[in-house]
Amino acid sequence: MSQQQEEMSFWDHLEALRWTLFRCVIVLVVFAITGFIFMSHIFDAVILAPTRSDFILYRVLCELTTTIPLLPDFCDESYLVKIFNVKLVSPFFISMSTAFWLALLITFPYLVFEIWKFISPALYDYEKKNVRWAFFFGTIMFFIGCAVSYFFVFPMTLRFLATFNISDAIENQSSLESYIDMFIMMIFIMGIVFEMPLISWLLSKMGLLTRSFFNTYRRHAIAGLLIASAFITPSSDPFTLGCVFFPLYGLYELSAFFVKKAPKEEDDTGTEVVRYED
């Protein structure tokens, strides 16, 4: 801990926190206003892209379908999810809220950096090294999760729900509010889910989690992840289910890799006993 940090009073810390929050708010507001100005282009090129048949995932899967006949058909060029709006004020307020969430997503690394700047003076050198890598790794994993959701999980879920029909007399459409809520929710949920290795590492550092936990509950995790994958993409084909399941299971194994093994124990006679991992 630095000498300067030791000499800082409570009010000095409060002042530093105030300026940290002020810079974070200013950056968020600037990016939110910029996103609001270009929101129509963002909607057409990014947010509504999965509703059309020319989305990159559908084109890639269409190419795979022609190569591997057992895969589901993704070459339907007539695929289009129709979005409708009922309330006149909805486009304006949805544009503002979407601009804020996108600004939060884009500025996430900077916000993490500001948090790091605020807490780093209170840490020792070895703690700084660990926390620095934790922040960096957590940021990368968050963006990977968001990308996986946008380029795969959300489009696959949307395509299934949009093409599922209980009657030919009913035409599937989606309200603007429903589509945006689902879009933002799935993007951020997958970003948070991909923080599982970091959370497991932190719990391991605190002595609350060991690798034996993952070994003991691996079968339960596989069953739970299969159910979660089926819920995320409720499709009947195993290809879609597997494409969601295997990344989630990979996160489970990656979390186990970052967690330390159970410590050696001693029995009542003082003899050292090694607890072997499964």
Side-chain angles (χ1 to χ4, degrees), residues 84-157:
F84 68 90
N85 175 58
V86 177
K87 301 178 181 179
L88 292 178
V89 297
S90 292
F92 176 76
F93 287 109
I94 288 178
S95 294
M96 288 197 304
S97 62
T98 305
F100 167 77
W101 287 111
L102 291 179
L104 183 63
L105 179 66
I106 295 172
T107 60
F108 184 74
Y110 175 77
L111 301 180
V112 170
F113 173 72
E114 283 291 344
I115 296 174
W116 163 252
K117 278 198 343 180
F118 177 74
I119 68 172
S120 60
L123 302 177
Y124 293 100
D125 291 337
Y126 72 93
E127 293 175 327
K128 288 182 180 180
K129 181 179 179 181
N130 291 332
V131 175
R132 184 186 301 115
W133 281 107
F135 275 132
F136 177 77
F137 180 75
T139 302
I140 296 298
M141 292 300 294
F142 177 80
F143 278 111
I144 291 177
C146 293
V148 169
S149 179
Y150 175 76
F151 287 104
F152 186 82
V153 177
F154 174 74
M156 295 299 292
T157 305

Side-chain angles (χ1 to χ4, degrees), residues 214-243:
F214 292 90
N215 296 331
T216 302
Y217 294 98
R218 179 171 281 105
R219 295 184 183 89
H220 304 78
I222 292 175
L225 292 176
L226 283 172
I227 295 174
S229 301
F231 178 78
I232 293 174
T233 56
S235 177
S236 58
D237 62 276
F239 171 76
T240 304
L241 180 67
C243 288

Side-chain angles (χ1 to χ4, degrees), residues 161-226:
L161 295 176
T163 55
F164 181 82
N165 204 339
I166 58 176
S167 173
D168 294 335
I170 301 175
E171 181 182 5
N172 283 344
Q173 294 181 341
S174 175
S175 66
L176 180 60
E177 294 92 338
S178 175
Y179 180 85
I180 292 299
D181 289 344
M182 180 180 174
F183 179 85
I184 294 176
M185 179 187 68
M186 295 195 70
I187 294 293
F188 278 90
I189 284 180
M190 285 301 294
I192 295 172
V193 167
F194 269 66
E195 298 288 347
M196 186 169 67
L198 175 61
I199 295 174
S200 300
W201 176 80
L202 292 174
L203 292 177
S204 176
K205 284 289 185 180
M206 297 169 61
L208 301 177
L209 189 65
T210 61
R211 195 173 298 175
S212 60
F213 173 86
F214 292 90
N215 296 331
T216 302
Y217 294 98
R218 179 171 281 105
R219 295 184 183 89
H220 304 78
I222 292 175
L225 292 176
L226 283 172

